[in-house]
PDB file of all heavy atoms in Angstrom:
ATOM      1  N   VAL V   4     -19.393 -10.413 -25.199  1.00 96.00           N
ATOM      2  CA  VAL V   4     -20.501 -10.575 -24.266  1.00 96.00           C
ATOM      3  C   VAL V   4     -21.034  -9.181 -23.934  1.00 96.00           C
ATOM      4  O   VAL V   4     -20.260  -8.302 -23.537  1.00 96.00           O
ATOM      5  CB  VAL V   4     -20.039 -11.291 -22.983  1.00 96.00           C
ATOM      6  CG1 VAL V   4     -21.190 -11.396 -22.005  1.00 96.00           C
ATOM      7  CG2 VAL V   4     -19.465 -12.660 -23.323  1.00 96.00           C
ATOM      8  N   THR V   5     -22.323  -8.994 -24.100  1.00 97.00           N
ATOM      9  CA  THR V   5     -22.938  -7.682 -23.885  1.00 97.00           C
ATOM     10  C   THR V   5     -23.815  -7.699 -22.652  1.00 97.00           C
ATOM     11  O   THR V   5     -24.712  -8.535 -22.538  1.00 97.00           O
ATOM     12  CB  THR V   5     -23.787  -7.278 -25.101  1.00 97.00           C
ATOM     13  OG1 THR V   5     -22.971  -7.299 -26.281  1.00 97.00           O
ATOM     14  CG2 THR V   5     -24.349  -5.873 -24.913  1.00 97.00           C
ATOM     15  N   GLN V   6     -23.533  -6.771 -21.750  1.00 97.00           N
ATOM     16  CA  GLN V   6     -24.344  -6.669 -20.540  1.00 97.00           C
ATOM     17  C   GLN V   6     -25.024  -5.304 -20.507  1.00 97.00           C
ATOM     18  O   GLN V   6     -24.413  -4.280 -20.793  1.00 97.00           O
ATOM     19  CB  GLN V   6     -23.481  -6.817 -19.288  1.00 97.00           C
ATOM     20  CG  GLN V   6     -22.939  -8.214 -19.103  1.00 97.00           C
ATOM     21  CD  GLN V   6     -22.254  -8.396 -17.762  1.00 97.00           C
ATOM     22  OE1 GLN V   6     -21.051  -8.589 -17.682  1.00 97.00           O
ATOM     23  NE2 GLN V   6     -23.044  -8.325 -16.685  1.00 97.00           N
ATOM     24  N   THR V   7     -26.300  -5.328 -20.160  1.00 97.00           N
ATOM     25  CA  THR V   7     -27.054  -4.083 -20.032  1.00 97.00           C
ATOM     26  C   THR V   7     -27.888  -4.098 -18.753  1.00 97.00           C
ATOM     27  O   THR V   7     -28.344  -5.167 -18.323  1.00 97.00           O
ATOM     28  CB  THR V   7     -27.999  -3.870 -21.237  1.00 97.00           C
ATOM     29  OG1 THR V   7     -28.862  -5.011 -21.355  1.00 97.00           O
ATOM     30  CG2 THR V   7     -27.220  -3.662 -22.511  1.00 97.00           C
ATOM     31  N   PRO V   8     -28.070  -2.933 -18.118  1.00 97.00           N
ATOM     32  CA  PRO V   8     -27.374  -1.685 -18.418  1.00 97.00           C
ATOM     33  C   PRO V   8     -25.949  -1.706 -17.861  1.00 97.00           C
ATOM     34  O   PRO V   8     -25.575  -2.634 -17.166  1.00 97.00           O
ATOM     35  CB  PRO V   8     -28.232  -0.655 -17.690  1.00 97.00           C
ATOM     36  CG  PRO V   8     -28.753  -1.398 -16.501  1.00 97.00           C
ATOM     37  CD  PRO V   8     -28.989  -2.813 -16.981  1.00 97.00           C
ATOM     38  N   ARG V   9     -25.143  -0.709 -18.142  1.00 96.00           N
ATOM     39  CA  ARG V   9     -23.795  -0.630 -17.591  1.00 96.00           C
ATOM     40  C   ARG V   9     -23.809  -0.145 -16.148  1.00 96.00           C
ATOM     41  O   ARG V   9     -22.998  -0.568 -15.334  1.00 96.00           O
ATOM     42  CB  ARG V   9     -22.922   0.300 -18.436  1.00 96.00           C
ATOM     43  CG  ARG V   9     -22.472  -0.257 -19.770  1.00 96.00           C
ATOM     44  CD  ARG V   9     -21.571  -1.508 -19.621  1.00 96.00           C
ATOM     45  NE  ARG V   9     -20.434  -1.315 -18.740  1.00 96.00           N
ATOM     46  CZ  ARG V   9     -19.262  -0.810 -19.109  1.00 96.00           C
ATOM     47  NH1 ARG V   9     -19.075  -0.426 -20.357  1.00 96.00           N
ATOM     48  NH2 ARG V   9     -18.272  -0.697 -18.245  1.00 96.00           N
ATOM     49  N   TYR V  10     -24.702   0.782 -15.886  1.00 96.00           N
ATOM     50  CA  TYR V  10     -24.799   1.357 -14.539  1.00 96.00           C
ATOM     51  C   TYR V  10     -26.259   1.420 -14.118  1.00 96.00           C
ATOM     52  O   TYR V  10     -27.148   1.631 -14.940  1.00 96.00           O
ATOM     53  CB  TYR V  10     -24.209   2.776 -14.500  1.00 96.00           C
ATOM     54  CG  TYR V  10     -22.765   2.837 -14.932  1.00 96.00           C
ATOM     55  CD1 TYR V  10     -22.430   3.110 -16.263  1.00 96.00           C
ATOM     56  CD2 TYR V  10     -21.738   2.604 -14.026  1.00 96.00           C
ATOM     57  CE1 TYR V  10     -21.104   3.150 -16.660  1.00 96.00           C
ATOM     58  CE2 TYR V  10     -20.412   2.651 -14.425  1.00 96.00           C
ATOM     59  CZ  TYR V  10     -20.101   2.916 -15.746  1.00 96.00           C
ATOM     60  OH  TYR V  10     -18.791   2.954 -16.134  1.00 96.00           O
ATOM     61  N   LEU V  11     -26.484   1.239 -12.825  1.00 96.00           N
ATOM     62  CA  LEU V  11     -27.835   1.201 -12.296  1.00 96.00           C
ATOM     63  C   LEU V  11     -27.812   1.673 -10.846  1.00 96.00           C
ATOM     64  O   LEU V  11     -26.954   1.232 -10.069  1.00 96.00           O
ATOM     65  CB  LEU V  11     -28.340  -0.244 -12.362  1.00 96.00           C
ATOM     66  CG  LEU V  11     -29.803  -0.580 -12.454  1.00 96.00           C
ATOM     67  CD1 LEU V  11     -30.503   0.224 -13.529  1.00 96.00           C
ATOM     68  CD2 LEU V  11     -29.968  -2.063 -12.732  1.00 96.00           C
ATOM     69  N   ILE V  12     -28.742   2.536 -10.498  1.00 97.00           N
ATOM     70  CA  ILE V  12     -28.902   2.950  -9.103  1.00 97.00           C
ATOM     71  C   ILE V  12     -30.308   2.603  -8.668  1.00 97.00           C
ATOM     72  O   ILE V  12     -31.278   2.977  -9.326  1.00 97.00           O
ATOM     73  CB  ILE V  12     -28.651   4.470  -8.921  1.00 97.00           C
ATOM     74  CG1 ILE V  12     -27.236   4.828  -9.364  1.00 97.00           C
ATOM     75  CG2 ILE V  12     -28.889   4.881  -7.474  1.00 97.00           C
ATOM     76  CD1 ILE V  12     -26.931   6.318  -9.326  1.00 97.00           C
ATOM     77  N   LYS V  13     -30.406   1.853  -7.575  1.00 97.00           N
ATOM     78  CA  LYS V  13     -31.696   1.416  -7.065  1.00 97.00           C
ATOM     79  C   LYS V  13     -31.787   1.732  -5.578  1.00 97.00           C
ATOM     80  O   LYS V  13     -30.770   1.927  -4.893  1.00 97.00           O
ATOM     81  CB  LYS V  13     -31.871  -0.095  -7.276  1.00 97.00           C
ATOM     82  CG  LYS V  13     -32.076  -0.504  -8.720  1.00 97.00           C
ATOM     83  CD  LYS V  13     -33.463  -0.133  -9.186  1.00 97.00           C
ATOM     84  CE  LYS V  13     -33.764  -0.704 -10.551  1.00 97.00           C
ATOM     85  NZ  LYS V  13     -35.131  -0.359 -10.992  1.00 97.00           N
ATOM     86  N   THR V  14     -33.005   1.743  -5.077  1.00 97.00           N
ATOM     87  CA  THR V  14     -33.265   2.009  -3.670  1.00 97.00           C
ATOM     88  C   THR V  14     -33.465   0.689  -2.932  1.00 97.00           C
ATOM     89  O   THR V  14     -33.987  -0.285  -3.517  1.00 97.00           O
ATOM     90  CB  THR V  14     -34.509   2.890  -3.519  1.00 97.00           C
ATOM     91  OG1 THR V  14     -34.333   4.082  -4.293  1.00 97.00           O
ATOM     92  CG2 THR V  14     -34.762   3.255  -2.065  1.00 97.00           C
ATOM     93  N   ARG V  15     -33.062   0.650  -1.687  1.00 98.00           N
ATOM     94  CA  ARG V  15     -33.289  -0.533  -0.849  1.00 98.00           C
ATOM     95  C   ARG V  15     -34.732  -0.995  -0.950  1.00 98.00           C
ATOM     96  O   ARG V  15     -35.661  -0.184  -0.899  1.00 98.00           O
ATOM     97  CB  ARG V  15     -32.987  -0.211   0.609  1.00 98.00           C
ATOM     98  CG  ARG V  15     -31.581  -0.485   1.041  1.00 98.00           C
ATOM     99  CD  ARG V  15     -31.392  -0.209   2.512  1.00 98.00           C
ATOM    100  NE  ARG V  15     -31.764   1.147   2.882  1.00 98.00           N
ATOM    101  CZ  ARG V  15     -31.805   1.592   4.124  1.00 98.00           C
ATOM    102  NH1 ARG V  15     -31.522   0.791   5.112  1.00 98.00           N
ATOM    103  NH2 ARG V  15     -32.138   2.828   4.383  1.00 98.00           N
TER     104      ARG V  15
END
Side-chain angles (χ1 to χ4, degrees):
Chain V
V4 178
T5 304
Q6 291 188 247
T7 56
R9 286 297 307 274
Y10 302 93
L11 206 49
I12 300 175
K13 289 286 188 179
T14 305
R15 269 183 304 174

